[in-house]
Amino acid sequence: MRHGKKFNHLGRKKGHRDNMLSNMSSSLIVHKRINTTLAKAKALRVFVEPILTKSKDNSTHSRRMVFADLQNKEAVTELFNTVGPKIMDRPGGYCRIIKTGFRKGDGAETAMIELVDFNETYVAKTPTSKGTTRRGRRSGGKSNVAAAPVQPVVTEEIKSEEE
């Protein structure tokens, strides 16, 4: 029986599935974007997001834990040197899945999975935004306008005129 087993088995046995997801995770970390089927992309997102969360803490323990999942030294080095510092402020949601149509041979639905912070098209639109939450958008918009800094140049000119 499959009670409570919600993950997609992808038509593979456990060893094959784990190795496939590990290899795909390494490719995603190194290349920042890969094309695959939609089912594999969704399974990969569930597999790789906890690994990306561990990369925020650059300690020996987290490196060893990530290496146990990836088994690839180059991917671990890239993850902790490049990806980890760039996703430090993001509270989650490190991957984006974009559907790309259907494969010609068997009609499988294909998708592109990419790391969110490494797509310059979307990052260039909002360079100063840190990512807002619903609560932050509601109250944050009004308070940011009221908290505008006062220009100190005006006060310096007044002091120089008095002297």
Side-chain angles (χ1 to χ4, degrees), residues 29-102:
I29 290 167
V30 170
H31 299 292
K32 312 298 186 274
R33 176 183 301 160
I34 58 173
N35 292 311
T36 183
T37 63
L38 183 63
K40 287 181 188 175
K42 288 180 178 180
L44 178 62
R45 179 176 52 189
V46 172
F47 183 82
V48 79
E49 292 222 352
I51 293 172
L52 293 171
T53 302
K54 290 174 193 169
S55 73
K56 290 178 167 185
D57 177 33
N58 191 0
S59 64
T60 305
H61 176 69
S62 59
R63 280 182 177 265
R64 287 178 177 168
M65 296 299 291
V66 168
F67 183 76
D69 290 334
L70 296 181
Q71 294 293 317
N72 187 340
K73 288 181 183 179
E74 291 80 19
V76 172
T77 304
E78 177 77 14
L79 178 64
F80 281 93
N81 291 345
T82 310
V83 178
K86 198 156 186 179
I87 65 171
M88 192 66 70
D89 296 332
R90 185 174 290 278
Y94 312 110
C95 298
R96 176 185 296 125
I97 295 175
I98 301 170
K99 295 180 182 180
T100 57
F102 297 93

Side-chain angles (χ1 to χ4, degrees), residues 53-161:
T53 302
K54 290 174 193 169
S55 73
K56 290 178 167 185
D57 177 33
N58 191 0
S59 64
T60 305
H61 176 69
S62 59
R63 280 182 177 265
R64 287 178 177 168
M65 296 299 291
V66 168
F67 183 76
D69 290 334
L70 296 181
Q71 294 293 317
N72 187 340
K73 288 181 183 179
E74 291 80 19
V76 172
T77 304
E78 177 77 14
L79 178 64
F80 281 93
N81 291 345
T82 310
V83 178
K86 198 156 186 179
I87 65 171
M88 192 66 70
D89 296 332
R90 185 174 290 278
Y94 312 110
C95 298
R96 176 185 296 125
I97 295 175
I98 301 170
K99 295 180 182 180
T100 57
F102 297 93
R103 198 160 48 197
K104 190 173 182 180
D106 60 354
E109 194 169 3
T110 59
M112 177 180 65
I113 182 168
E114 65 182 2
L115 297 178
V116 172
D117 291 322
F118 288 90
N119 188 339
E120 285 77 21
T121 305
Y122 295 113
V123 175
K125 289 182 182 177
T126 57
T128 58
S129 67
K130 287 186 173 180
T132 58
T133 60
R134 290 184 183 185
R135 181 178 26 203
R137 281 192 301 241
R138 266 189 249 139
S139 62
K142 294 176 184 175
S143 64
N144 288 344
V145 175
V150 178
Q151 295 180 351
V153 178
V154 176
T155 58
E156 292 175 6
E157 290 176 9
I158 294 171
K159 288 181 183 177
S160 64
E161 290 175 5

